[in-house]
Amino acid sequence: MSKMNDFIQQETITGIVPMTNKDRQYSFWDLFLSTSGFAIATWCYTQGAYVAQYLTFNQMLINIFSFNIIWVFIECLPILFAVKYGIDLWIWLRAVLGKKGVAILSTVISLANFGWYAVTADLFASSMIHLANNFGLGLDKGVWAPILGTLCVLLGTLIALGGPDVIKGTNRFLVVALLFVGLIIVGICFVAVPISDIMNVQPAIQENLTPIERFMMSGEGNVAVAFSWSTQAFVLPRLAKSERSGYWATALSYGVVAPFFAATGGVMALAMFVKTGVYESDPTTMLSTLSTPTFALLSLLLVAFANIGTQGTGSYVNCMIVKSGMPKVSYKLMVWIAMVYVSLLTIWGGVEEYFGSFISLAAYIQGPIIGMIVVDYFILRKRKLDLRSAYFLERHKAYEFTNGFNLVGLSCVIISLLVAVLFVYNPVTKHIQSPMFLLTTGSGFTAIFGGLLYWLASLTRLKRYMLKDKDSVKI
C-alpha cells in the first residue's frame, strides 16, 4: 500500500494524474517566481537584440510590450481550467485533437521547444568562458563551448529530476537576483552611453522594408515568443492553490517580466552599437563591454546559473507535455532523453543562427492550437470537460474520435499552417506575401485563422463529431 501511495504521488507531480487541492503547493508568489525564473532566461536578451535591429528605441519598447501583453493575457485564459481541474493544457486538448493527435503534436512541439534550451546552454557556455578568460585562463571557445554547454544541460537535468520542489527552491533565489541585475543593467547602459545617442540609433536592418513592415517583422518575433510560452504555460499552474493566483502569476510572468528583460536586451544591443558600431546579442559580451569589471563578473555568474535553472524548469515542463501524449513512458526516462537531445543541439550550435525562422516555425504550429483551445474552452464546451473520457476510462470513449485522431482539430492546425506559410508570411525566406501580415503578423494569423476554422466547423454537421461528450459532461 505504501508503494502504491508513493506511485500515485509520483504520477501526480511528474505525471498526468489530476492534481487534488491538498497536493497543490504553489502560492501566487511561488508560481510567479518559478514561472518568472523560467521566463527571464538569457534568451530574452537574444530576443531583445533581434528586435532592436529593426526598430528605433521608442518603437522597440512599444513593440515588445504591446505584442507580448496582448497575446499572453489572451492565451493564458484557459489557465483557469488548468487550475480548476488540476490538469494541464494537453489533457484538455485530447478533446480537440484526440489521444493520438495529442501524442504526435505534443512531441513535435516539445522537440521544437527544446531548441530554446540549446540557446540557454550556449549562453551559459559563453558566460563561463568570459569568466574564465577574465581570470587569465584563455579558454578556446571552439573547444570549450560544447563542453560547458553540455554541462549546463546536465545540471539542468538534475534539477528537472528533482521536480517542482527543487524548481521552486532554485528559482526563489535566482529570480530575485536576476530582477535586481536587470534593473542595474538598464542603468549601466544609460550611464555607459548617453541616452540621447541610444534614442537616435536608426534601424540596422532596412532590407527595402517600409517602417510598418519593419515594425510588424519585429512584432512577428514577439508574437512567436509569446506563443512559445503557450504550450508550456499550462503545466506549472496546475500546482496553484487558486484559479486567480494561477492566472495572474503566469500572465504577469510571461506578459510583463519576460518582456522587461527582452527590452533590457534591446537597450543593451543599442548601447553596444553606439559604443562599438556592432550589434551584439550575447549578453555576456555586452555585460563585459558596458559595465565595470566587478559588476560584470557578478552579472556573468548570475546569468550563467540562471540558464541552469531555466534548463531544469524547461526540461520538467516539456517532458510533462510529452507525457500527456505518452503517459506510460517514465518521466525520468523522458528527462534523460531530453538531455541527450538538447546536448546534441548544443554541440551542433546552429539554433541561434536561425533564431528568427526557428521561433516563427514553432509558433506556426502552436498558433492554431491557441486559437482552437480558446474557442473550445469558451464557446463549444463552455468551460466543461468530461474527465472520464479525457483519461479514457472504461466505457468513456468520447474523445477517441477516429482511431485516436480528431480529424477536425488536426485539419485546422494543418490548414492554418499551410495558408500562413504560402499566402501570408514565409518565416524561412522572411518574405511578406500578403497585407494581412501587416495586421496580424504571421503567427498571429495562424491563431486567429485556426480558431475561426474550428468555430466555423462547429456551425456545420461536424459539431456532432466535435462534441461527442455532450451527454456525458457532468462537471
Side-chain angles (χ1 to χ4, degrees):
M1 181 62 70
S2 176
K3 290 183 178 179
M4 178 59 70
N5 289 335
D6 290 342
F7 174 77
I8 293 173
Q9 179 71 11
Q10 186 68 20
E11 283 301 296
T12 300
I13 301 299
T14 57
I16 61 171
V17 175
M19 184 75 65
T20 62
N21 288 334
K22 65 182 179 62
D23 292 321
R24 298 179 187 184
Q25 51 189 286
Y26 276 33
S27 65
F28 168 84
W29 287 109
D30 289 332
L31 183 58
F32 176 75
L33 291 175
S34 295
T35 305
S36 294
F38 179 46
I40 62 177
T42 43
W43 60 46
C44 288
Y45 297 117
T46 303
Q47 170 64 10
Y50 171 79
V51 173
Q53 297 178 72
Y54 285 91
L55 304 172
T56 63
F57 175 77
N58 290 335
Q59 291 171 341
M60 178 192 71
L61 294 181
I62 294 171
N63 197 290
I64 289 175
F65 283 102
S66 61
F67 282 104
N68 276 283
I69 288 174
I70 291 171
W71 279 110
V72 167
F73 276 56
I74 292 173
E75 72 189 39
C76 281
L77 287 172
I79 281 177
L80 299 172
F81 85 68
V83 180
K84 176 181 178 181
Y85 289 102
I87 62 176
D88 65 54
L89 167 75
W90 290 94
I91 301 300
W92 186 292
L93 278 173
R94 290 176 174 180
V96 180
L97 301 171
K99 182 179 182 180
K100 293 181 180 177
V102 165
I104 292 173
L105 284 182
S106 65
T107 303
V108 169
I109 287 175
S110 290
L111 288 175
N113 285 341
F114 275 121
W116 286 102
Y117 307 105
V119 174
T120 65
D122 288 337
L123 292 171
F124 170 84
S126 181
S127 298
M128 297 307 291
I129 290 171
H130 272 82
L131 280 169
N133 290 342
N134 283 332
F135 288 99
L137 295 181
L139 299 184
D140 181 81
K141 188 171 184 179
V143 175
W144 283 96
I147 296 174
L148 292 171
T150 304
L151 174 63
C152 176
V153 178
L154 174 61
L155 294 174
T157 298
L158 297 179
I159 292 175
L161 291 172
D165 282 337
V166 176
I167 291 171
K168 179 170 65 174
T170 302
N171 284 310
R172 275 180 174 170
F173 165 73
L174 285 177
V175 173
V176 174
L178 283 171
L179 285 171
F180 180 69
V181 169
L183 290 170
I184 294 179
I185 286 173
V186 174
I188 287 175
C189 289
F190 290 135
V191 171
V193 177
I195 187 172
S196 58
D197 290 351
I198 293 177
M199 297 181 70
N200 289 329
V201 174
Q202 295 303 305
I205 297 179
Q206 301 285 342
E207 296 179 348
N208 297 319
L209 298 173
T210 65
I212 185 62
E213 288 175 338
R214 288 201 308 272
F215 189 83
M216 296 307 287
M217 286 281 283
S218 299
E220 167 62 24
N222 283 308
V223 174
V225 168
F227 284 7
S228 72
W229 305 124
S230 62
T231 48
Q232 306 171 69
F234 298 92
V235 175
L236 287 177
R238 66 197 283 267
L239 304 171
K241 295 178 180 179
S242 71
E243 293 176 40
R244 177 180 295 180
S245 65
Y247 174 81
W248 284 111
T250 308
L252 290 173
S253 296
Y254 293 133
V256 178
V257 177
F260 168 77
F261 276 83
T264 300
V267 172
M268 290 172 70
L270 293 173
M272 279 289 291
F273 181 77
V274 171
K275 192 164 185 175
T276 67
V278 177
Y279 272 93
E280 178 60 58
S281 62
D282 187 336
T284 60
T285 301
M286 293 189 282
L287 283 168
S288 298
T289 304
L290 295 173
S291 63
T292 62
T294 302
F295 183 75
L297 290 175
L298 176 61
S299 300
L300 286 171
L301 192 62
L302 286 171
V303 165
F305 283 97
N307 286 309
I308 296 174
T310 300
Q311 196 80 229
T313 307
S315 181
Y316 167 74
V317 167
N318 283 282
C319 287
M320 290 289 287
I321 291 172
V322 177
K323 195 166 176 63
S324 297
M326 295 184 284
K328 294 183 179 181
V329 180
S330 163
Y331 166 77
K332 290 184 178 180
L333 176 61
M334 287 186 178
V335 172
W336 287 116
I337 292 173
M339 184 198 76
V340 174
Y341 174 60
V342 178
S343 296
L344 291 174
L345 289 177
T346 302
I347 294 169
W348 170 53
V351 173
E352 197 167 353
E353 181 180 351
Y354 303 100
F355 185 73
S357 299
F358 157 70
I359 60 176
S360 287
L361 284 173
Y364 272 30
I365 302 174
Q366 295 163 317
I369 293 175
I370 293 171
M372 289 192 299
I373 193 68
V374 171
V375 170
D376 191 78
Y377 175 59
F378 286 107
I379 300 177
L380 265 68
R381 255 166 267 277
K382 302 185 186 303
R383 304 187 297 281
K384 294 181 179 179
L385 183 74
D386 181 8
L387 273 181
R388 298 173 183 84
S389 292
Y391 284 91
F392 304 101
L393 301 183
E394 188 176 356
R395 296 190 301 276
H396 295 276
K397 306 297 182 182
Y399 304 146
E400 194 64 41
F401 297 107
T402 307
N403 297 321
F405 295 98
N406 183 333
L407 299 181
V408 174
L410 290 171
S411 296
C412 290
V413 173
I414 295 170
I415 293 171
S416 299
L417 188 153
L418 291 176
V419 170
V421 171
L422 296 175
F423 301 107
V424 181
Y425 174 70
N426 187 322
V428 177
T429 63
K430 297 184 179 180
H431 182 234
I432 299 172
Q433 302 175 110
S434 167
M436 181 62 68
F437 176 82
L438 303 180
L439 295 175
T440 63
T441 72
S443 298
F445 174 83
T446 63
I448 296 169
F449 192 61
L452 180 63
L453 283 178
Y454 192 73
W455 175 68
L456 290 174
S458 72
L459 301 180
T460 68
R461 293 181 180 180
L462 292 171
K463 184 174 183 178
R464 182 176 297 179
Y465 176 86
M466 299 164 69
L467 295 179
K468 288 187 175 182
D469 61 350
K470 185 176 180 181
D471 299 324
S472 58
V473 174
K474 303 298 183 184
I475 55 178

